[in-house]
Structures are given as structure tokens and as C-alpha cells.
Amino acid sequence: MTYRPFDLSGKVALITGGNSGIGLGMARALAEAGADIAIWGSNAAKNAAALESLKPFGVRLHALACDISDEAAVERAFAETVAQLGRVDACFANAGTYGHAARFTALETAEWQRVMRINLDGAFFTLRAAARHMAERGGGGSLVATASLAAIEGAARNAHYGATKGALVAMIRALAVEMARHGIRANAILPGWIETAMTAGNVADERFSGAVLPRIPARRWGQPADFGGIAVYLASEASAYHSGDCLVIDGGYSLF
């Protein structure tokens, strides 16, 4: 008999940045576990392709083009998501961008603000909309933010990126305490080196790969599918008493 708490039938999961990479890896597992899926992504063509890949799971699907750095756009997208799917039980604030590498003393204000708008403001707008909905609806829910090892390790020449991810972790901890009275739990996922479109340049760089891969005890790059299990767990009743945590998914990299 299947362990029933992992059955997500009747639940709705929203994944920002769910049209590729880690987000799509989570969306596929969530759909396979029975959840209806809402994907927000800035690229309409990628959104459509992601929905097509999820159709075999037989769940309700909805995708929206949304710039998460735009507060009004997030509010509109969330309202439309609820109108289409009825509710949101699990919200994965996964969308983000990388920082253009620069020495801290040369980091331009515009670049700092660009990364902040997407990685931090965008997650704030998304999680706030979800928390309001869950608290007003009742019945609890799950808030999840995709942070990074940069939140807990020094990210040389990427202070702006690391700052956003560290702030995400702090925000999630605050939400875990504040929203618990509504039955809402909040957790952060900290990926290590994952092979996605965002990291393609690093993975293809022989010098970089030669320095990083030997430090990963699992001896491979992480894959988007490696985030399916944790997504299902955090969306399910199996994690009903698990809140305020930072879940590191890195093949052991941060330990070695």
C-alpha cells in the first residue's frame, strides 16, 4: 500500500520559474504525485512547452507569463491562478536570476538592484500573496523558497546574489514563526551545483568543472529531477510538522 501522506490529489501547487530547470523538476514530481500545477514564467513559449510535458500526468494545468519583480503583476497572476484552479496549497518561490560576477568594490548599483528585484522582491511578492490567500482560506499550506548555498557560504564576486539568498532564508524563518498560527509552514531549499540552463557555462568550462566536481562527494552535477522528492515532501502532509528549515540538496558539496 502506498504511503498516503505523499498523495497530493486535490492539492494545488504553484511554482514560479517552473518552466525549466529546478522548477520544472519540482513541477513534474508534484504532478506525478497528483497535484494540480500552476507555472509562472516570463517566457510564454517555455511555459507552453512545460505544460505539454506535464500533460501525461492527467492533472489540471495552468501557466502564466509573469514578471515576479512587478508587484501588481504578481497580484494579478495570483488572483488568476486561484480563479483557474480554485486554491493554492503549496507555493514554491523558485524563480530567480544569477548575479553578473563583479568585485564588490566594482559592483554597480544597477546590478545590485536588478538582482534584488528578482531574487528578493519577487519572492516577497509571491510568498506574501500566497500567505494572504492561505490565511484567509484556512486549512494551512506550505511556503517554500529556493535559496542557494550562497546563503550560507561566501560567494566571492557575487555578494549581491548571496545577499538575496541569505535574506530569503531569514524571511522563511520569520514566516515559519509568524504563519504557524494559521497552520502554514515555511521552508527553504538550498541547491548546490545543479546542471541547468543558468549554470551551463560553468558546467561546460573544463577548468571550472575540474575544480568543482572533485569536491562533490556524489561525483556528479545535480539534476532538476533531484528536487522532485523534496518538493513532494514539502507540499504533502508528511511535512506537516516541519517548518523553518534550510534543506540543503548538494550531493554533499558543503560538507567536503
PDB file of all heavy atoms in Angstrom, residues 18-33:
ATOM      1  N   GLY A  18       8.782  27.767 -13.020  1.00  0.00           N
ATOM      2  CA  GLY A  18       8.503  26.340 -13.153  1.00  0.00           C
ATOM      3  C   GLY A  18       8.574  25.802 -14.555  1.00  0.00           C
ATOM      4  O   GLY A  18       8.217  24.639 -14.786  1.00  0.00           O
ATOM      5  N   ASN A  19       9.027  26.624 -15.494  1.00  0.00           N
ATOM      6  CA  ASN A  19       9.049  26.166 -16.888  1.00  0.00           C
ATOM      7  C   ASN A  19      10.381  25.571 -17.324  1.00  0.00           C
ATOM      8  O   ASN A  19      10.538  25.171 -18.473  1.00  0.00           O
ATOM      9  CB  ASN A  19       8.643  27.307 -17.830  1.00  0.00           C
ATOM     10  CG  ASN A  19       9.564  28.520 -17.744  1.00  0.00           C
ATOM     11  OD1 ASN A  19      10.657  28.439 -17.207  1.00  0.00           O
ATOM     12  ND2 ASN A  19       9.105  29.645 -18.284  1.00  0.00           N
ATOM     13  N   SER A  20      11.347  25.487 -16.403  1.00  0.00           N
ATOM     14  CA  SER A  20      12.642  24.898 -16.758  1.00  0.00           C
ATOM     15  C   SER A  20      13.431  24.631 -15.479  1.00  0.00           C
ATOM     16  O   SER A  20      13.035  25.043 -14.388  1.00  0.00           O
ATOM     17  CB  SER A  20      13.450  25.838 -17.671  1.00  0.00           C
ATOM     18  OG  SER A  20      13.765  27.049 -16.991  1.00  0.00           O
ATOM     19  N   GLY A  21      14.543  23.935 -15.624  1.00  0.00           N
ATOM     20  CA  GLY A  21      15.475  23.735 -14.523  1.00  0.00           C
ATOM     21  C   GLY A  21      14.860  23.113 -13.287  1.00  0.00           C
ATOM     22  O   GLY A  21      14.008  22.221 -13.362  1.00  0.00           O
ATOM     23  N   ILE A  22      15.298  23.584 -12.123  1.00  0.00           N
ATOM     24  CA  ILE A  22      14.829  23.046 -10.852  1.00  0.00           C
ATOM     25  C   ILE A  22      13.314  23.160 -10.730  1.00  0.00           C
ATOM     26  O   ILE A  22      12.638  22.249 -10.257  1.00  0.00           O
ATOM     27  CB  ILE A  22      15.525  23.766  -9.687  1.00  0.00           C
ATOM     28  CG1 ILE A  22      17.012  23.377  -9.631  1.00  0.00           C
ATOM     29  CG2 ILE A  22      14.846  23.451  -8.350  1.00  0.00           C
ATOM     30  CD1 ILE A  22      17.823  24.184  -8.629  1.00  0.00           C
ATOM     31  N   GLY A  23      12.761  24.289 -11.172  1.00  0.00           N
ATOM     32  CA  GLY A  23      11.313  24.491 -11.070  1.00  0.00           C
ATOM     33  C   GLY A  23      10.529  23.444 -11.819  1.00  0.00           C
ATOM     34  O   GLY A  23       9.531  22.915 -11.321  1.00  0.00           O
ATOM     35  N   LEU A  24      10.957  23.125 -13.036  1.00  0.00           N
ATOM     36  CA  LEU A  24      10.260  22.113 -13.820  1.00  0.00           C
ATOM     37  C   LEU A  24      10.469  20.730 -13.214  1.00  0.00           C
ATOM     38  O   LEU A  24       9.557  19.893 -13.225  1.00  0.00           O
ATOM     39  CB  LEU A  24      10.731  22.145 -15.274  1.00  0.00           C
ATOM     40  CG  LEU A  24      10.015  21.193 -16.240  1.00  0.00           C
ATOM     41  CD1 LEU A  24       8.503  21.398 -16.203  1.00  0.00           C
ATOM     42  CD2 LEU A  24      10.546  21.391 -17.664  1.00  0.00           C
ATOM     43  N   GLY A  25      11.647  20.479 -12.661  1.00  0.00           N
ATOM     44  CA  GLY A  25      11.889  19.210 -11.980  1.00  0.00           C
ATOM     45  C   GLY A  25      10.926  19.023 -10.821  1.00  0.00           C
ATOM     46  O   GLY A  25      10.388  17.924 -10.607  1.00  0.00           O
ATOM     47  N   MET A  26      10.665  20.090 -10.075  1.00  0.00           N
ATOM     48  CA  MET A  26       9.713  20.024  -8.976  1.00  0.00           C
ATOM     49  C   MET A  26       8.297  19.863  -9.501  1.00  0.00           C
ATOM     50  O   MET A  26       7.513  19.058  -8.970  1.00  0.00           O
ATOM     51  CB  MET A  26       9.826  21.280  -8.106  1.00  0.00           C
ATOM     52  CG  MET A  26      11.151  21.382  -7.359  1.00  0.00           C
ATOM     53  SD  MET A  26      11.187  22.630  -6.029  1.00  0.00           S
ATOM     54  CE  MET A  26      11.167  24.136  -6.991  1.00  0.00           C
ATOM     55  N   ALA A  27       7.952  20.618 -10.553  1.00  0.00           N
ATOM     56  CA  ALA A  27       6.600  20.550 -11.105  1.00  0.00           C
ATOM     57  C   ALA A  27       6.255  19.144 -11.593  1.00  0.00           C
ATOM     58  O   ALA A  27       5.139  18.653 -11.380  1.00  0.00           O
ATOM     59  CB  ALA A  27       6.455  21.554 -12.246  1.00  0.00           C
ATOM     60  N   ARG A  28       7.198  18.482 -12.228  1.00  0.00           N
ATOM     61  CA  ARG A  28       6.944  17.131 -12.732  1.00  0.00           C
ATOM     62  C   ARG A  28       6.647  16.164 -11.598  1.00  0.00           C
ATOM     63  O   ARG A  28       5.726  15.354 -11.669  1.00  0.00           O
ATOM     64  CB  ARG A  28       8.148  16.649 -13.548  1.00  0.00           C
ATOM     65  CG  ARG A  28       8.232  17.281 -14.922  1.00  0.00           C
ATOM     66  CD  ARG A  28       9.490  16.873 -15.656  1.00  0.00           C
ATOM     67  NE  ARG A  28       9.485  17.374 -17.029  1.00  0.00           N
ATOM     68  CZ  ARG A  28      10.572  17.602 -17.749  1.00  0.00           C
ATOM     69  NH1 ARG A  28      11.773  17.381 -17.227  1.00  0.00           N
ATOM     70  NH2 ARG A  28      10.477  18.054 -18.993  1.00  0.00           N
ATOM     71  N   ALA A  29       7.436  16.224 -10.538  1.00  0.00           N
ATOM     72  CA  ALA A  29       7.207  15.322  -9.410  1.00  0.00           C
ATOM     73  C   ALA A  29       5.892  15.635  -8.713  1.00  0.00           C
ATOM     74  O   ALA A  29       5.154  14.724  -8.311  1.00  0.00           O
ATOM     75  CB  ALA A  29       8.372  15.424  -8.430  1.00  0.00           C
ATOM     76  N   LEU A  30       5.583  16.896  -8.548  1.00  0.00           N
ATOM     77  CA  LEU A  30       4.337  17.293  -7.907  1.00  0.00           C
ATOM     78  C   LEU A  30       3.137  16.817  -8.712  1.00  0.00           C
ATOM     79  O   LEU A  30       2.145  16.325  -8.149  1.00  0.00           O
ATOM     80  CB  LEU A  30       4.297  18.815  -7.745  1.00  0.00           C
ATOM     81  CG  LEU A  30       5.289  19.399  -6.728  1.00  0.00           C
ATOM     82  CD1 LEU A  30       5.492  20.891  -6.965  1.00  0.00           C
ATOM     83  CD2 LEU A  30       4.809  19.156  -5.302  1.00  0.00           C
ATOM     84  N   ALA A  31       3.223  16.950 -10.041  1.00  0.00           N
ATOM     85  CA  ALA A  31       2.133  16.484 -10.899  1.00  0.00           C
ATOM     86  C   ALA A  31       2.009  14.964 -10.840  1.00  0.00           C
ATOM     87  O   ALA A  31       0.901  14.418 -10.785  1.00  0.00           O
ATOM     88  CB  ALA A  31       2.368  16.945 -12.333  1.00  0.00           C
ATOM     89  N   GLU A  32       3.139  14.278 -10.851  1.00  0.00           N
ATOM     90  CA  GLU A  32       3.112  12.812 -10.785  1.00  0.00           C
ATOM     91  C   GLU A  32       2.503  12.338  -9.467  1.00  0.00           C
ATOM     92  O   GLU A  32       1.879  11.267  -9.410  1.00  0.00           O
ATOM     93  CB  GLU A  32       4.523  12.251 -10.943  1.00  0.00           C
ATOM     94  CG  GLU A  32       4.568  10.747 -11.100  1.00  0.00           C
ATOM     95  CD  GLU A  32       5.944  10.215 -11.463  1.00  0.00           C
ATOM     96  OE1 GLU A  32       6.888  11.026 -11.595  1.00  0.00           O
ATOM     97  OE2 GLU A  32       6.067   8.995 -11.632  1.00  0.00           O
ATOM     98  N   ALA A  33       2.661  13.131  -8.399  1.00  0.00           N
ATOM     99  CA  ALA A  33       2.085  12.789  -7.100  1.00  0.00           C
ATOM    100  C   ALA A  33       0.609  13.165  -7.013  1.00  0.00           C
ATOM    101  O   ALA A  33      -0.033  12.902  -5.995  1.00  0.00           O
ATOM    102  CB  ALA A  33       2.868  13.476  -5.986  1.00  0.00           C
TER     103      ALA A  33
END
